[in-house]
Amino acid sequence: MFALIDCNNFYAACERLFEPRLEGVPVGVLSNNDGCVIARSEEFKALDIPMGIPTHKIDPALRRRVVLKSSNYTLYGDLSARVQQVLARQVPTLEPYSIDECFLDLRGMQEDWHALGARLVRSVAREVGLPVSIGIAPTRTLAKLANRQAKTQPTRPQVCVWQSADAPELAAHLARLSPREVWGVGERLNARLAGMGVLTAAALRETPDSELRRRFSVVLARTATELNGHPCLSMSDLETPRRSILCSRSFGRPLRDHNALAGALRHHCQRAGEKLRRDAMQASAIGVYMRTNPHHAGTFRHACEWTALPFPSADTQQLNRAAQRLLARLWQPAAYQKLGVMLTELTPRQQSQTTLFDGAEPARREALMEAWDAIRARYGRQALTLGPQPSDAPWQMNSAYRSACYTTRWDELPRARAR
Amino acid sequence: MSMTPIALAASTSAPASSDTLPRGASGFPSPADDYREAPLDLHHHLVRRPASTFFMRLEGDDHRHAGLHHGDLLVIDRAISPRPGHWLVAAIDGELSVLHLERREAQLYLAPSRPGLATLPFEADDDRLWGVICYAIHALPAMGEEPAEPSCLR
């Protein structure tokens, strides 16, 4: 059996944990830079404010009734790790799927699945303080559907168990479900399935394997097999490896000065390099793009250029050197609103391969980057930067309504009042 | 990057390996090598269950009689079941609040210290409970009221 555990309205729940006054209040969480709504509490959803709505387009009358929060990934990341620790202690294998979801591989366990599910949900609620729901079924694909079903239950704990793929309630559920709702079936695949008369998840799992393989793909055939209760998909089947990295940000105010833009670019290169090294990847090509505000008067300027790196690299300084050369070529006097750096042709990192023209002592460079990351992880991101990077610089993130980093910063601990 | 302060603090104690210990200039191993033990780690002593342990700062002096002072660092473990006599953090009136759990006859109460506040009946699985306080760390005058943490730990 497999389980999918999902934290209900995770970001809003994290905000509420340290601010009990938000209980029962509509809470919306904003994207990086406070641009639009990316997460909503149940009360916020009930107001019919859609996901993704730009912050400034929320009706002012509604705006007064809700609480908006800047996203606080430091806090969400810490709480996510705690949820996983609590679960990992109780089951043989835990596979994180996203910041608020993880799969549990329960094979080898002999349990009353309802009781196990209820126990897991309660342990997270008690130890971390976050509401979660759980779906348990014979395959990951079915567990994901079971989890969705669990979320519709009005009673706590939200647990949905499908003992086997032939369970009558499961068959009835699949007969009402569009294939689009199944893990790994996208919009286009759904349209093609509809074209051949496959309109429900039940019809999808009854379609012969050979036909799915011939007309679609092995992965879709496996999805159907999973709907029939036979586990055959691994997590990696459904995740396309990251092929590119993008670090960009709109400026709080337009930037004209070449020096200021160079500072923003250093900041982005630094983040891009960290992302690369975190994923143990290296990039072969780097691009820089910059643009003015399309909604402002004056000529719109958009410039973008790529260059190949001399050799694949995850070295922040190498990335920055190449990016700064691109910037020098692209820059013309204008009021820029956005600047970004892109990395592509990502490949898994090789051990130091020396090239003839390298001469950069690759092993020492790698050690330098390792020390760099370790220092920033331990002493904070402001402790070591590539050139000066003031925290009020216009390319730093705009997060006017960010909650405190309650669990990771001594000077932002929650306050508990003596009564 | 490590997201938890727990992992950061734990990493500050270097692993005690006899391979990495400095040797005397003469090249002879130190006779103390065989007796080397890991240094005492206060964080591990205070935080038994990292996943359910949180830190908070106490605000207000109403519990001074019980040795809980304004500015004290509270260590809260949500995994502990509350019992009479425990100090709790509870969400009261939308605010994280510190109260004492007391039993009078068969009923449990959250007892405030501040004059004029009413005691609140407390149920076994009361959803106002946030967590049980296991330590209050109080800084003595040498450290000032609220100890400034070294900026490198931020």
Side-chain angles (χ1 to χ4, degrees), chain A residues 17-18 20-21 78 82 85 125-129 377-379 381 407-408 410-411 413-419, chain B residues 1 3-5 50-51 53 55 57 59 63 73 78-79 81 94 96-98 112-114 130 146 149 152 154:
Chain A
L17 181 57
F18 297 100
R21 69 178 182 92
D78 177 68
R82 289 169 184 259
Q85 279 177 50
R126 175 187 151 105
E127 295 186 36
V128 191
R378 180 148 160 205
Y379 297 112
R381 282 153 182 257
T407 55
T408 50
W410 287 114
D411 56 352
L413 291 184
R415 307 241 153 199
R417 173 156 286 286
R419 281 193 173 241
Chain B
M1 191 194 85
M3 289 291 202
T4 65
T53 301
F55 298 146
R57 192 71 77 182
E59 201 146 85
H63 301 315
L73 177 66
R78 296 184 55 112
S81 300
L96 296 172
S97 311
V98 174
S113 302
R114 207 185 307 163
W130 202 95
E146 224 174 287
E149 306 298 335
C152 65
R154 293 182 46 190

Side-chain angles (χ1 to χ4, degrees), chain A residues 389-406:
Chain A
Q389 299 193 346
S391 59
D392 59 350
W395 62 83
Q396 298 285 6
M397 197 149 82
N398 199 353
S399 48
Y401 321 103
R402 181 177 69 71
S403 47
C405 293
Y406 295 109

Side-chain angles (χ1 to χ4, degrees), chain A residues 217-246:
Chain A
S217 66
V218 179
V219 174
L220 188 64
R222 288 196 186 145
T223 298
T225 309
E226 288 240 323
L227 288 175
N228 284 312
H230 309 292
C232 60
L233 281 173
S234 71
M235 304 265 298
S236 52
D237 285 328
L238 289 145
E239 276 175 313
T240 44
R242 299 230 248 157
R243 297 227 173 76
S244 58
I245 283 178
L246 169 68

Side-chain angles (χ1 to χ4, degrees), chain B residues 26-93:
Chain B
S26 62
F28 288 110
S30 155
D33 278 3
D34 288 347
Y35 303 96
R36 173 98 187 189
E37 293 179 357
L40 297 177
D41 186 331
L42 186 56
H43 186 85
H44 282 161
H45 179 73
L46 298 176
V47 179
R48 300 289 163 91
R49 282 177 288 257
S52 58
T53 301
F54 294 84
F55 298 146
M56 290 189 188
R57 192 71 77 182
L58 180 62
E59 201 146 85
D61 260 331
D62 292 288
H63 301 315
R64 188 177 273 271
H65 63 91
L68 295 172
H69 299 74
H70 175 75
D72 284 358
L73 177 66
L74 306 177
V75 180
I76 297 137
D77 186 351
R78 296 184 55 112
I80 298 176
S81 300
R83 297 241 177 88
H86 285 176
W87 287 90
L88 309 183
V89 173
I92 309 290
D93 299 335

Side-chain angles (χ1 to χ4, degrees), chain A residues 240-247 271-287 306-307 309 311-315 319 341-350:
Chain A
T240 44
R242 299 230 248 157
R243 297 227 173 76
S244 58
I245 283 178
L246 169 68
C247 290
R271 288 174 53 220
E274 273 175 348
K275 285 190 188 180
L276 268 181
R277 295 192 293 275
R278 188 193 57 205
D279 295 349
M281 301 294 265
Q282 54 189 12
S284 307
I286 185 166
W306 286 88
T307 186
L309 293 163
F311 47 91
S313 173
D315 182 325
L319 301 178
V341 55
M342 301 168 285
L343 300 175
T344 195
E345 304 292 312
L346 303 193
T347 49
R349 186 131 115 250
Q350 310 285 312

Side-chain angles (χ1 to χ4, degrees), chain A residues 321-371:
Chain A
R321 254 198 299 278
Q324 296 293 348
R325 275 198 296 272
L326 290 173
L327 173 66
R329 280 220 295 274
L330 290 173
W331 185 81
Q332 285 180 17
Y336 293 98
Q337 191 220 7
K338 191 167 191 175
L339 173 97
V341 55
M342 301 168 285
L343 300 175
T344 195
E345 304 292 312
L346 303 193
T347 49
R349 186 131 115 250
Q350 310 285 312
Q351 280 305 313
S352 339
Q353 46 178 16
T354 320
T355 72
L356 259 184
F357 310 102
D358 181 354
E361 300 179 89
R364 295 190 50 174
R365 300 292 315 175
E366 261 174 43
L368 176 66
M369 284 300 121
E370 255 170 53

Side-chain angles (χ1 to χ4, degrees), chain A residues 35-113:
Chain A
C36 59
V37 174
I38 53 162
R40 305 171 297 167
S41 72
E42 287 305 322
E43 298 81 357
F44 198 94
K45 291 176 190 169
L47 293 174
D48 275 335
I49 309 176
M51 193 74 152
I53 186 175
T55 311
H56 66 272
K57 290 216 169 127
I58 301 174
D59 179 347
L62 283 179
R63 174 73 186 78
R64 279 191 291 275
R65 293 171 57 194
V66 305
V67 172
L68 294 178
K69 289 284 185 180
S70 303
S71 40
N72 182 348
Y73 289 107
T74 310
L75 177 67
Y76 309 154
D78 177 68
L79 293 173
S80 169
R82 289 169 184 259
V83 170
Q84 289 177 16
Q85 279 177 50
V86 168
L87 295 170
R89 198 179 65 214
Q90 305 175 71
V91 297
T93 313
L94 176 144
E95 310 160 312
Y97 181 59
S98 69
I99 193 165
D100 58 357
E101 289 171 284
C102 53
F103 281 103
L104 310 177
D105 187 339
L106 307 176
R107 282 178 292 188
M109 281 181 100
Q110 292 294 329
E111 286 274 346
D112 172 344
W113 301 115

